Amino acid sequence: MAVRAVRGATQIDADEREQLLEATAELVEAVLSRNGLVPDDLISVVLTATPDIKCEFPAYAARMAGLADVPLLSATEIDVAGAMPRVIRLLAHVETDLTRAEIKHAYLRGAAALRTDLPH
């Protein structure tokens, strides 16, 4: 078993709590399902939000999505001029038998444009 990192991101249309809760839950589910993971496989998850998101903590949304006992952290993404707005990013550290090449990252909604090199 190895420790691997899994990345993902999603974009919401507006800084609205329900959108953040829904999009974050969708992102967590995509990261887990694409990699055959369950919450017990997660070591920790860091979630960031662009500075224009203030409606809720992404970590709270992940907790509500079923990551009840996983260490979570929310942070603000750096404010880069011209960066895509309203983006929630995820970095999960996991225990898995998958190789680095087998890990499937999840870029959803408008955030898919951030990683056009990955299959969506």
Side-chain angles (χ1 to χ4, degrees):
M1 187 110 9
V3 174
R4 301 281 182 218
V6 185
R7 285 292 319 269
T10 190
Q11 185 181 39
I12 55 177
D13 295 325
D15 183 25
E16 296 175 358
R17 187 172 189 270
E18 285 306 314
Q19 284 194 36
L20 181 135
L21 294 173
E22 178 185 315
T24 304
E26 177 185 40
L27 180 58
V28 166
E29 173 57 29
V31 165
L32 294 176
S33 65
R34 289 180 186 194
N35 293 288
L37 300 169
V38 296
D40 274 353
D41 297 325
L42 299 174
I43 296 167
S44 64
V45 179
V46 177
L47 298 121
T48 66
T50 50
D52 52 1
I53 297 176
K54 302 175 188 318
C55 62
E56 184 58 85
F57 293 104
Y60 174 80
R63 182 91 51 230
M64 295 300 97
L67 303 186
D69 63 351
V70 177
L72 303 173
L73 176 67
S74 289
T76 303
E77 191 71 32
I78 62 172
D79 193 9
V80 175
M84 183 180 288
R86 299 175 314 282
V87 175
I88 300 153
R89 290 176 173 86
L90 175 150
L91 172 63
H93 302 96
V94 304
E95 291 181 315
T96 181
D97 289 326
L98 295 174
T99 67
R100 188 178 304 205
E102 293 172 321
I103 295 290
K104 294 178 181 78
H105 306 287
Y107 287 77
L108 309 178
R109 302 181 184 203
L114 295 171
R115 292 296 306 265
T116 56
D117 58 314
L118 297 175
H120 300 285

